[in-house]
Structure formats: C-alpha cells, structure tokens
Amino acid sequence: MGTASARWVLLATVLGSSLVMLDSTVVNVALERIGRDLDADFAGLQWIVNAYTLALAALILLGGALGDRFGRRRVFLVGVVWFAVASLLCAVAPSPAMLAWARALQGVGGALLTPGSLAMIAATFDPADRSRAVGTWSAFGGVAGAIGPFVGGWLVEWDWRIVFLLNLPLALVIVVVTRFHVPESRDPDPATGFDIGGTVVGAAGLGLLTYGLIEAGGSAVAGAVPAVAGILLLGVFLLVERRSAHPLVPLDLFANRTFTAVNGVTFAVYSALGVFFFLLVLQLQVVAGYSPLAAGTALLPVTAVMLLLSSRAGALADKIGPRLPLTLGPLVAAGGLLLATRIGADASYLGTVLPALLVFGLGLSLTVAPLTATVLASAESRHAGIASGVNNAVARAAGLLAVAVVPVVAGLTGQAYADASRMAESFRIAMLICAGLLAVGGVLSWASIRTPSAAPSAARPPAPSAAAPSAAAPSAAAGGPSGALPATVDLAKCLHCGVAAPQLHPDPAVHAGSANSTP
C-alpha cells in the first residue's frame, strides 16, 4: 500500500463507493424540501427513494458479472459516468415522477460501479497488502455514510438540487484517476453467458410488487393487481434460476439451514433499518421542527457507534459464535426504536433523540458484523462471493419493500406527512412495527442459528482470482503462480458501517454472477 500505484487504486475505489454511499444517505435528508418544492405526495417521496433502491437491488449481481466478463475497470467507469449523468437529470427534474425515473437511472449506474470498487482492490493488490486495503476501503465507506446526512443537510439548507450536482465533480475526479492509474482486471475464465432472463423477471417482479404496495395506500384494489402480479413473477424468477445454466442466485445455497435463517434475519433487520432512516428525518423536520442540517447531523451517532464497535462485535462472534450477538443485537436495536417513539414536537436532542440513536446503533453494531461472518461461513468456498452478494441484495430488497408498505400501514398517505400531528402518530406506529420486525429477527436467530461461524479467512480455502498485475508489486500476479488468492480478508473484523447493506466478500471471480463489493 506504500506505492503510488497502490494509493491511486485505493483512491479511485474509495471515491467510487463513497459516491453511491453519500447519495443513498443524503437524499433522505432532502425529502422534506423536495416534497415541498415539487408538491409531492407521500407516494412520490416513496418512489424517490425506492426507484433507486429497486434498480440497485435488481441489477447489482448482474453488474458484478459484467465486470468479471468485460473488465472491472471498464464497467466501473461506465457506471461512474452513468451515475453522473443520472445525477444531473435528478438536479433538473421538474416533477416527482421525473425525479423518481432519474433516481432509477442512478441505481443502474450504482449497480455497475459498486461491484467494481472492492473487486479491483482484490484483483490488483498484493496479497500481503490486501487485508489492509480492504480495511481502509471499508473504513472510508463508513465515514462517507456517517458524514452523508450532515453534508446533505448543509447543502439542502441552500437548495436540494445541489445534493445531486455535487456528484458531478466527484465523478470527474474518479474517472480521471481510474482512467490513468487503475489497471484493468477480469475473470480469466468467465461464464459463457449471463442470466438476463432471471435479471429481467426478478426486476419486474420486485418493481410490480413495490408499485402495488405503494398504490395500496390510495386504493387497496388498485394496489392488489400489480402486487399479485409481482409475487407471481418472483415465483417465475425462482423457476428461471432453477433452470438457468448461469443463475444469478444458485438456489442450492438455500439448502443450508443457517444461510436461509441468516437471510431471514437480514430481511427483518434491514426492513426496520430502511423505514427508520426514511421516516426519522421527516419526523425531525416536520414534527420536531429541526432544520435539514440539524436533522442530518442528528443521525451521526448511529454510524459513529457502528464504526467504533462493529469490528469488536465481529471478534466477539468469532469467540462465542454468532447466535447470541445475532439474537441480542436486533433486540437491543428494537429497544432503540421504542425509545424513538418518544420523539415528538420540540423533542430535546440530548434527552430524547440521542438515547434512541445510541441504543439503536449499539444493536446494529452487535448484528451486522456477525451477520456477515455467518453468511460467509455457511456457504461453500466456491459460492462465497455470490452468497454475500445474495445477502446484500436481500438487505436492499427488504428496505425497498418495507419503505413501500410500513408507512402505508402506519397511515402515511397523500399529504399526511406534511401535517405534524398525523406525521407524529404515523411515525409512532411505524416505529412499533419496526421494533416488532427486529424482535422477529432476534427470535429467528435464537431459534435457527446453531453452529458457530469461524472467521472467513480461517473457514475456507483460497478462492480463485484473476491474475491481474498487483498494484503494490507490478511484477507479481495478484493470485500468485496458481492464480488463486493465498489469503482472504476477515470482513467481520473490518472497520465498517453496514447502514446501506451488509459488507461483502472482496474476492473477484468467485462466481460468474457474483457481486463482490458494496459500500
């Protein structure tokens, strides 16, 4: 990591992942101003968030496969440019519908650039430096998640459109650094085809289901038809995956009881997490009277606690096994959401908001790193990358669906979010629902997870890797003479923040359809 070439690779990958992380956290803070400026109803705000998440969740696995096949740097660059153009469209959007479509295009760009950011580190760094490089990448991703709401609040004080325009100069720097300083890498033995059918059917199923759930807020009948169609398409997706020669999601992964259980826990935890961050900034601004800057700054303790404690939670899970942390973590986080029900008009930050955020952050810290370690330990080595990719996609899909349905169940429809009294009551109901989801996750962990998870570096043999030149030692192949990675990275002990989704396995080319990185 001491060479100039290594530092350039690390800079490009950190900036690329931060671009996506910042945007995913900043936009929530801007929602109240966006809704007021564009006269958006609550369904419009849901789509501004969910259109992005839908595209990212549906396409991130394909993005990893494209990078393995056509070159990770090439696909990464396409994703960065795509993301920048979509950001410009977001900045000039004249209506909620146009902004939602532009956000969907941002999600496509994110799905192309995200898998390449960490995979390029794994493919180009010398094995002796790879663990430090991944740790640095993870830490900076966590920092980006931490400062995102603060930066967003500060920019929204001027104009919410600047939030999107900020991406343009950052993208330009990433393109220049990557174009001139990052070597190309790809899978030397890629799959002969892509699971395009599975990708299309899966995305259509998720999209229709999300549309139906959001529409149900206005009319249950109008929402029922697309929701049922979406469920049917997701069933077809499973059939396509079973018959595909190159499935995005190898269904034999779910034959492992622990893998299935931990993805159930992931779904419950990230459903609650997605709704909490979506509604909290609205509650703080609409009900408690916080400015966008104050509301964004208020979120900092959650990511700060995760950055401080997540690696320690991973080490603890190595010693005692994942069952207890994955049981207590969601229950502690549920306690944080119960405390959050006290946030109302003129809420004191130190007396009301901060305690809820600290307890919630503590619960997440106990949960996320052991969750990552358990996913990796429960899959065969040949499926390490795709197993963590599936877990990441499950987390994103959970947030997508929960943001669509929980606020509607809590009574947030139409312009209700702009009415302080209705927003306050709906927020309280939503927090109780989310606390229940977290409790379900804790109970599921206690009932289903039995075997302790070893650290990924000790639990599995080396995974195959592209034999790309090392950024730290240009004369050596990244995987050595055999082309295999002689060392893996213990992600559970990396300094990171899993607010957007769980951390992913960094080894490239573990599976033809795997997505190997995420912020």
Side-chain angles (χ1 to χ4, degrees):
M1 286 181 64
T3 66
S5 56
R7 288 192 292 269
W8 282 118
V9 171
L10 192 57
L11 176 63
T13 56
V14 165
L15 290 178
S17 60
S18 297
L19 183 68
V20 177
M21 173 63 82
L22 281 168
D23 210 72
S24 63
T25 55
V26 163
V27 170
N28 279 354
V29 180
L31 285 176
E32 191 272 340
R33 292 290 176 89
I34 292 173
R36 187 194 311 172
D37 189 27
L38 299 182
D39 193 27
D41 60 11
F42 192 75
L45 298 188
Q46 287 174 296
W47 274 117
I48 289 168
V49 172
N50 276 348
Y52 175 84
T53 308
L54 172 63
L56 190 58
L59 300 176
I60 193 170
L61 294 175
L62 180 63
L66 291 172
D68 288 346
R69 177 69 178 273
F70 297 112
R72 300 182 184 99
R73 187 187 71 161
R74 177 181 298 174
V75 174
F76 176 80
L77 283 171
V78 171
V80 171
V81 174
W82 188 303
F83 196 92
V85 172
S87 296
L88 179 60
L89 294 176
C90 289
V92 300
S95 67
M98 291 298 295
L99 180 55
W101 280 110
R103 288 278 288 160
L105 291 176
Q106 269 192 320
V108 175
L112 293 175
L113 77 88
T114 296
S117 59
L118 188 51
M120 287 191 296
I121 291 178
T124 59
F125 266 80
D126 185 87
D129 291 327
R130 189 175 294 125
S131 181
R132 288 175 58 206
V134 171
T136 302
W137 178 91
S138 298
F140 275 102
V143 170
I147 68 173
F150 170 78
V151 173
W154 179 56
L155 293 176
V156 170
E157 294 280 358
W158 294 351
D159 191 327
W160 63 264
R161 297 180 188 273
I162 302 176
V163 167
F164 297 107
L165 292 175
L166 179 67
N167 294 331
L168 302 184
L170 182 57
L172 178 61
V173 172
I174 297 169
V175 169
V176 172
V177 172
T178 304
R179 176 66 180 82
F180 293 103
H181 298 286
V182 177
E184 183 62 278
S185 65
R186 55 171 52 85
D187 186 349
D189 186 26
T192 56
F194 300 106
D195 187 12
I196 300 298
T199 300
V200 172
V201 173
L206 268 178
L208 282 172
L209 179 57
T210 303
Y211 177 77
L213 293 173
I214 292 176
E215 284 297 304
S219 168
V221 175
V225 174
V228 171
I231 292 172
L232 291 176
L233 278 179
L234 291 176
V236 173
F237 170 76
L238 296 179
L239 294 177
V240 171
E241 294 304 282
R242 184 178 297 277
R243 297 178 180 179
S244 174
H246 310 288
L248 285 176
V249 182
L251 297 183
D252 59 329
L253 284 172
F254 292 92
N256 183 296
R257 181 173 177 239
T258 300
F259 180 80
T260 302
V262 80
N263 276 284
V265 175
T266 299
F267 192 90
V269 169
Y270 278 88
S271 292
L273 193 155
V275 174
F276 177 64
F277 282 111
F278 176 60
L279 292 183
L280 178 61
V281 288
L282 286 174
Q283 177 77 354
L284 290 175
Q285 293 178 70
V286 175
V287 178
Y290 283 36
S291 68
L293 178 59
T297 305
L299 303 179
L300 289 176
V302 175
T303 44
V305 169
M306 293 191 72
L307 286 173
L308 287 172
L309 299 181
S310 60
S311 61
R312 292 177 173 85
L316 176 65
D318 275 352
K319 293 180 180 178
I320 67 174
R323 188 187 186 196
L324 190 58
L326 285 178
T327 299
L328 292 179
L331 295 178
V332 171
L337 294 192
L338 292 178
L339 289 175
T341 60
R342 302 186 305 134
I343 300 174
D346 301 318
S348 163
Y349 183 72
L350 292 179
T352 305
V353 180
L354 183 60
L357 293 175
L358 290 176
V359 174
F360 185 67
L362 177 61
L364 288 183
S365 299
L366 285 170
T367 303
V368 174
L371 186 150
T372 298
T374 306
V375 166
L376 292 175
S378 65
E380 298 177 21
S381 60
R382 66 192 177 96
H383 284 329
I386 192 62
S388 53
V390 169
N391 185 242
N392 182 275
V394 166
R396 296 183 188 277
L400 168 73
L401 297 176
V403 167
V405 68
V406 171
V408 173
V409 173
L412 279 176
T413 59
Q415 296 290 337
Y417 75 95
D419 184 308
S421 60
R422 293 177 66 185
M423 177 69 205
E425 178 61 20
S426 295
F427 178 79
R428 187 185 68 82
I429 295 171
M431 291 305 98
L432 292 174
I433 293 172
C434 291
L437 287 169
L438 287 166
V440 168
V443 171
L444 180 60
S445 296
W446 182 258
S448 304
I449 297 176
R450 289 286 184 271
T451 55
S453 68
S457 56
R460 60 185 74 261
S465 171
S470 169
S475 61
S482 64
L485 285 171
T488 55
V489 179
D490 190 348
L491 288 175
K493 296 179 183 177
C494 282
L495 183 69
H496 71 282
C497 172
V499 169
Q503 184 82 324
L504 283 185
H505 195 277
D507 294 350
V510 174
H511 188 279
S514 67
N516 297 311
S517 66
T518 187

